[in-house]
Amino acid sequence: MMGLPGCGMGGGGVQPLAGYAVGGVMPVMLHDFVTGLALGSPWSLTRASPATYVGADGLIMSAPVDQPRYDYSAGKRALLLEASSTNLLPNSAQFDAASWAKTRASVLANAALAPDGTMTADKLVEDTSNNSHFAARTGTQIAGGTAMVASIFAKAAERRWFALVTADSANLFRTTYFDLQTGMLGVVSQGAAGHVAQIVAAGNGWYRCSVMQTQTAASGNFNFYPSVVSANGTTSYLGDGASGLYLWGAQLEVGAAVSSLIPTDAAAVTRAADLASVAVAAGSYDIRRVDATGTTVTKGVAHPGGAMAIGAGAIHLLSLYPAGAL
């Protein structure tokens, strides 16, 4: 367990805390993870595995066991807390490995700088066939009715359009197109209800491309096909034998939203949950929490005293006030 101290005044004495008062009422506990300002009890964290986050320099970094992750994905510092998740895809950045089949395409290993600053990104290169060109990871067993998120980092080379194709146990193929120059979505497959796509800038021309969908009622294979394409909506075309794009960090996980990168080698890897709490005295509190996704206020929370759990999220600010203050 790692304990993180409170009571810090950020070098500015009491005066900076006045900005956190509500109706003249000061918080009884405050942790501003953007500035590092803290008042009251320390918070603590345990996590039984390493975990990744985006550092202040924009590169993906790894935090050791039980160490906090101060993430800058949203542009400013946040404490990143996540539930446990498993990347079910082996060799997440080694597309030249045998676990990734190549169809009318080849892979040039370690061809570009990856989002973590290492020379580990691979290039997927089309051949000269007049057809589709892709890598494939097939046969991942998923229970029926399970929500899945497939994601991968991609960067334009000679080709600007990337397609992520997925297929579930009913062999329903869904294809989503991503523009790696503009960072915009192209055609999003309507092959199944609830198919949701997202593209997020990851720095240095990289984008994290993801799709969420639910496995059909029957359990079975869930297949993952990163593809180089010539244009939006076009998977089949005449390749030139040299053009392609860069790939890194493939991930397939259970859930409704993409989580932080979980690197893998020869086997699936599980990132343990972040278990965070703050010590509070017995009483009733109004809680104000500011996350990357917005602000929530919870009023009149009675607590017997001791450790109060801090839920998952990318937290900018956590503050407790006497009940009735907010």
Side-chain angles (χ1 to χ4, degrees), residues 108-115 117-123 155 206 246 248:
L108 179 61
N110 303 327
L113 286 175
T118 63
M119 197 72 175
T120 54
D122 291 352
K123 186 177 184 182
K155 180 178 179 177
W206 285 97
Y246 301 109
W248 188 77

Side-chain angles (χ1 to χ4, degrees), residues 148-151 164 166 174 176 178 185 187-199 209-214 255-258:
M148 302 298 301
V149 181
S151 63
L164 183 53
T166 55
R174 303 173 182 96
T176 300
F178 303 85
L185 288 172
V187 174
V188 177
S189 174
Q190 300 302 313
H195 185 84
V196 179
Q198 184 180 47
I199 182 169
C209 305
S210 63
V211 295
M212 187 280 287
Q213 66 187 68
T214 300
V258 66

Side-chain angles (χ1 to χ4, degrees), residues 76-211:
K76 61 181 179 180
R77 190 174 184 258
L79 175 66
L80 179 59
L81 302 175
E82 295 182 291
S84 176
S85 189
T86 300
N87 185 356
L88 300 169
L89 299 178
N91 299 308
S92 60
Q94 295 85 38
F95 298 95
D96 58 325
S99 61
W100 288 96
K102 274 69 72 174
T103 300
R104 295 176 293 275
S106 60
V107 169
L108 179 61
N110 303 327
L113 286 175
D116 66 349
T118 63
M119 197 72 175
T120 54
D122 291 352
K123 186 177 184 182
L124 182 64
V125 181
E126 64 198 37
D127 71 3
T128 56
S129 301
N130 190 10
N131 208 321
S132 54
H133 312 268
F134 56 90
R137 171 64 187 179
T138 60
T140 304
Q141 295 296 299
I142 301 297
T146 303
M148 302 298 301
V149 181
S151 63
I152 191 169
F153 291 83
K155 180 178 179 177
E158 296 82 14
R159 298 296 185 189
R160 65 183 282 183
W161 284 96
F162 167 67
L164 183 53
V165 183
T166 55
D168 65 10
S169 58
N171 208 31
L172 294 175
F173 285 81
R174 303 173 182 96
T175 304
T176 300
Y177 296 83
F178 303 85
D179 188 339
L180 302 179
Q181 284 189 5
T182 66
M184 303 293 289
L185 288 172
V187 174
V188 177
S189 174
Q190 300 302 313
H195 185 84
V196 179
Q198 184 180 47
I199 182 169
V200 177
N204 193 31
W206 285 97
Y207 293 92
R208 195 175 193 189
C209 305
S210 63
V211 295

Side-chain angles (χ1 to χ4, degrees), residues 20-48:
Y20 300 95
V22 176
V25 179
M26 294 290 292
V28 296
M29 187 278 294
L30 167 76
H31 288 286
D32 187 330
F33 297 109
V34 177
T35 65
L37 192 66
L39 171 69
S41 303
W43 62 279
S44 62
L45 170 76
T46 63
R47 187 187 59 252

